[in-house]
């Protein structure tokens, strides 16, 4: 599941780099699953809801997101698991990282490499290294 910065995150980083506006990194990201993946501006998305679904908290540290070499790829070091579903969640088309367990600001978003339907009793795990984070 690739991920790219949303317009919200791009503005935060650009304002820090060009203007010296203070930027505090997110302490905990909350991974979300989408039935319709939002656009870079954060609109147009439909997040999974109900059926035991909840965003997954991921501490923003070097254990979960190890350092990379220049030109390398940033990705999750550990699996990210959702579920089990207590009812059908639908067809998951993408994912995102928010700065809050509900609501909040979408910081990163991306389409799934393999679209999957999650049925009642099922779960979805994003394997270690499968959430590729890019800066485009």
């Amino acid at each position: 599941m690739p991920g790219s910065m949303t317009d919200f995150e791009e503005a935060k980083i650009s304002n820090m780099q060009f203007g010296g506006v203070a930027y505090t990194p997110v302490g905990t990201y909350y991974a979300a699953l989408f039935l319709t993946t939002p656009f870079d501006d954060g609109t147009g998305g439909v997040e999974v809801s109900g059926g035991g679904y909840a965003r997954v908290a991921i501490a923003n540290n070097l254990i979960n997101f190890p350092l990379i070499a220049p030109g390398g790829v940033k990705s999750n070091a550990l699996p990210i698991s959702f579920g089990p579903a207590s009812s059908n969640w639908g067809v998951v088309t993408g994912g995102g990282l928010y700065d809050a367990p509900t609501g909040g600001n979408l910081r990163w978003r991306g389409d799934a490499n393999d679209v999957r339907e999650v049925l009642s009793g099922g779960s979805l795990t994003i394997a270690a290294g499968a959430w590729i984070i890019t800066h485009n």
Side-chain angles (χ1 to χ4, degrees), residues 66-91:
L67 290 174
I68 58 172
V73 174
K74 190 75 157 178
S75 64
N76 58 309
L78 303 171
I80 303 167
S81 296
F82 296 85
S86 60
S87 66
N88 294 347
W89 286 355
V91 178

Side-chain angles (χ1 to χ4, degrees), residues 1-6 32-34 37-38 40 73-76 80 92-97 106-116 126-127 129-136:
M1 187 174 299
S4 61
M5 273 191 260
T6 61
L33 299 176
F34 296 115
T37 307
D40 281 348
V73 174
K74 190 75 157 178
S75 64
N76 58 309
I80 303 167
V92 174
T93 63
L97 295 174
L106 180 61
R107 302 295 190 116
W108 300 83
R109 45 85 48 215
D111 296 317
N113 287 332
D114 59 341
V115 174
R116 290 186 237 164
I126 300 166
W131 199 311
I132 307 299
I133 298 169
T134 60
H135 297 269
N136 56 2

Side-chain angles (χ1 to χ4, degrees), residues 2-136:
S4 61
M5 273 191 260
T6 61
D7 293 348
F8 179 86
E9 188 73 1
E10 287 174 352
K12 292 281 188 189
I13 295 194
S14 292
N15 288 335
M16 176 191 66
Q17 293 291 329
F18 304 100
V21 176
Y23 175 84
T24 302
V26 173
T28 301
Y29 281 111
Y30 296 87
L33 299 176
F34 296 115
L35 303 175
T36 303
T37 307
F39 300 106
D40 281 348
D41 67 2
T43 65
V46 176
E47 187 174 356
V48 172
S49 65
Y53 168 80
R55 292 178 186 170
V56 175
I58 306 168
N60 184 13
N61 59 37
L62 292 175
I63 294 169
N64 292 313
F65 301 102
L67 290 174
I68 58 172
V73 174
K74 190 75 157 178
S75 64
N76 58 309
L78 303 171
I80 303 167
S81 296
F82 296 85
S86 60
S87 66
N88 294 347
W89 286 355
V91 178
V92 174
T93 63
L97 295 174
Y98 282 89
D99 57 13
T102 59
N105 300 294
L106 180 61
R107 302 295 190 116
W108 300 83
R109 45 85 48 215
D111 296 317
N113 287 332
D114 59 341
V115 174
R116 290 186 237 164
E117 184 173 18
V118 179
L119 301 174
S120 182
S123 60
L124 188 144
T125 298
I126 300 166
W131 199 311
I132 307 299
I133 298 169
T134 60
H135 297 269
N136 56 2

